[in-house]
């Protein structure tokens, strides 16, 4: 087993949802490891071609500029790695959960909604503005996916140091969330349209307490939902919308994705170094070779395999040198 397979096994043991289990199982079976070792193999080959040119250029069997042939291949590999990296958040969402933050002014009904979603009495609900201070988080299984829902302190201007710290935490939770549910008390806003002001693309506006007041909003306002935590009206629809959003952040069939920050950091180093090698057309070949070596080392750290000395093997198998 390589390191990613061991990590996959550990994730499998800890998995709470079907999506986590599926991803962890694939990783434990070596899906991610074989993707990376395939890349490592290509890099070893490229480096061997460069080294052959450097070390054995006086041999007849090695044509000049043999290394030129590898750069288009390395460019293609680089594109593939970048595409893989751009999907990293998806892999992390499956493993660590899709984050939803409940944000809004005090008394908007955030804690009531949390309790309705969790179907139990998790957070304190009261008609006193500023009830919630700390972030209250519940872990839910929605359609086989792990979802972390965070109830936060109501946002308003305040003099109270503790409430201010709570508000800071609310804003941070909103920033880190994959979906922000912006709650507005329907009995406290003028019109539905007025309430949509300042709603960002990864957020959804919820007009709460629909049992007390039903606001009219046009068909254009598809990002607005009317809910009541008290009667449960609109909650099904909200759940459907949440599933939709998760679906947009779901891995494709058989898609192997980085699942940990560790993978992402090494992949970034690998891409940065390989890029320097590929675009450095005017650099001495020794320098480009060194960048490739750094890239291969970073990649090798993900799987735990850095096969440095395979180079000679590749050179001897491809060229008739030293015989
Ligand atoms: N009628 C009705 N009342 C609701 C509903 N949701 C919440 N409330 C009431 O609104 C008040 C505030 O609810 P909370 O859930 O504590 O509001 P909050 O947004 O968490 O408020 P803070 O923690 O102070 O930021 C409470 O008295 C709730 O009972 C609803 O759907 N219908
Ligand atoms: Mg609250």
């Amino acid at each position: 087993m390589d390191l990613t397979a061991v990590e996959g096994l550990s994730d499998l043991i800890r998995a709470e949802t079907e999506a986590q289990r599926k991803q962890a199982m694939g990783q434990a079976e070596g899906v991610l490891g074989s993707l990376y070792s395939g890349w490592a193999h290509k890099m070893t080959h490229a480096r061997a071609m460069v080294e052959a040119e450097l070390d054995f250029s006086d041999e007849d069997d090695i044509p000049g500029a043999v290394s030129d042939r590898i750069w288009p291949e390395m460019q293609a590999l680089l594109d593939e790695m970048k595409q893989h990296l751009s999907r990293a958040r998806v892999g992390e969402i499956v493993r660590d959960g899709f984050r939803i933050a409940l944000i809004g002014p005090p008394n908007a009904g955030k804690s009531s909604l949390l309790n309705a979603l969790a179907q139990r009495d998790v957070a304190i609900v009261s008609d006193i503005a500023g009830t919630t201070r700390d972030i209250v988080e519940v872990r839910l299984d929605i359609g086989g996916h792990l979802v972390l829902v965070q109830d936060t302190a109501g946002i308003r201007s305040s003099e109270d140091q503790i409430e201010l710290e709570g508000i800071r935490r609310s804003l941070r939770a909103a920033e880190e969330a994959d979906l922000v549910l912006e709650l507005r008390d329907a009995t406290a806003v003028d019109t539905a349209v007025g309430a949509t002001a300042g709603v960002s693309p990864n957020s959804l506006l919820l007009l709460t307490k629909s049992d007390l007041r039903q606001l009219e909003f046009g068909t254009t306002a598809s990002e607005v939902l009317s809910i009541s935590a008290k009667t449960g009206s609109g909650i099904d629809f909200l759940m459907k919308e949440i599933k939709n959003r998760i679906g947009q952040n779901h891995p494709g069939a058989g898609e192997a994705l980085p699942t940990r920050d560790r993978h992402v950091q090494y992949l970034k180093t690998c891409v940065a170094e390989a890029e320097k090698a590929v675009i450095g057309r005017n650099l001495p070949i020794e320098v480009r070779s060194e960048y490739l070596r750094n890239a291969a080392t970073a990649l090798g750290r993900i799987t735990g395999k850095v096969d440095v000395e395979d180079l000679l093997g590749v050179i001897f198998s491809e060229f008739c040198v030293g015989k």
Side-chain angles (χ1 to χ4, degrees):
M1 288 180 109
D2 71 13
L3 265 183
T4 62
V6 175
E7 287 170 336
L9 188 60
S10 145
D11 289 349
L12 187 60
I13 292 165
R14 273 179 237 204
E16 298 167 60
T17 68
E18 200 46 40
Q20 285 177 310
R21 251 189 293 282
K22 232 166 145 179
Q23 179 165 278
M25 181 77 99
Q27 199 174 315
E29 284 171 347
V31 182
L32 202 55
S34 55
L35 177 70
Y36 294 154
S37 61
W39 290 351
H41 195 75
K42 283 186 185 167
M43 270 189 207
T44 305
H45 180 261
R47 291 179 51 217
M49 295 303 104
V50 173
E51 297 292 329
E53 188 173 309
L54 285 175
D55 296 348
F56 304 102
S57 53
D58 49 340
E59 300 260 351
D60 291 345
D61 187 51
I62 298 191
V66 69
S67 68
D68 283 355
R69 286 184 253 142
I70 63 144
W71 298 115
E73 266 170 55
M74 284 297 99
Q75 179 63 59
L77 179 59
L78 198 54
D79 294 343
E80 196 182 336
M81 291 194 294
K82 282 184 184 168
Q83 158 68 17
H84 177 74
L85 250 181
S86 73
R87 304 269 298 154
R89 181 69 197 130
V90 174
E92 284 176 345
I93 284 176
V94 174
R95 178 174 181 266
D96 303 328
F98 182 82
R99 292 166 173 274
I100 298 180
L102 307 181
I103 302 290
N107 275 348
K110 301 177 295 298
S111 302
S112 304
L113 177 59
L114 180 80
N115 293 347
L117 291 173
Q119 296 179 324
R120 59 196 166 91
D121 195 12
V122 192
I124 301 172
V125 166
S126 87
D127 58 4
I128 301 166
T131 302
T132 307
R133 301 288 178 89
D134 281 314
I135 288 184
V136 182
E137 183 178 274
V138 294
R139 303 163 75 83
L140 302 177
D141 182 336
I142 299 184
H145 294 267
L146 175 63
V147 176
L148 311 176
V149 187
Q150 296 184 320
D151 177 25
T152 65
I155 294 169
R156 63 169 171 184
S157 47
S158 167
E159 305 271 282
D160 183 332
Q161 287 307 309
I162 296 166
E163 186 172 6
L164 279 175
E165 177 55 29
I167 293 170
R168 261 194 292 277
R169 290 175 190 213
S170 303
L171 296 173
R172 200 182 327 133
E175 254 169 45
E176 291 171 358
D178 298 300
L179 172 64
V180 176
L181 298 180
E182 298 251 14
L183 284 77
R184 301 279 182 279
D185 184 340
T187 65
V189 294
D190 294 340
T191 62
V193 179
T196 57
V199 174
S200 72
N202 76 335
S203 59
L204 197 62
L205 182 72
L206 304 182
L207 294 171
T208 60
K209 311 188 189 179
S210 66
D211 54 295
L212 297 180
R213 185 180 180 206
Q214 187 78 48
L215 274 175
E216 287 300 318
F217 44 88
T219 45
T220 46
S222 60
E223 305 294 281
V224 186
L225 294 180
S226 205
I227 60 153
S228 166
K230 193 172 174 188
T231 65
S233 133
I235 304 282
D236 282 0
F237 207 78
L238 172 61
M239 282 298 230
K240 216 153 83 193
E241 187 53 35
I242 292 173
K243 282 183 198 167
N244 264 346
R245 302 283 179 132
I246 298 171
Q248 292 164 11
N249 288 283
H250 190 63
E255 186 183 17
L257 292 171
T259 54
R260 295 175 184 235
D261 193 45
R262 190 181 80 76
H263 306 161
V264 174
Q265 294 315 320
Y266 284 130
L267 282 170
K268 282 185 178 162
T269 307
C270 175
V271 165
E273 293 293 314
E275 184 136 58
K276 283 193 268 182
V278 170
I279 63 173
R281 283 181 196 86
N282 299 322
L283 294 175
I285 189 78
E286 290 87 341
V287 175
R288 296 177 84 182
S289 169
E290 180 63 13
Y291 286 142
L292 276 188
R293 193 178 69 81
N294 293 343
T297 305
L299 191 60
R301 291 209 193 284
I302 305 181
T303 54
K305 285 181 191 158
V306 189
D307 45 2
V308 191
E309 295 318 322
D310 283 358
L311 289 186
L312 282 178
V314 177
I315 294 172
F316 291 145
S317 70
E318 298 226 356
F319 304 106
C320 192
V321 292
K323 296 191 178 152

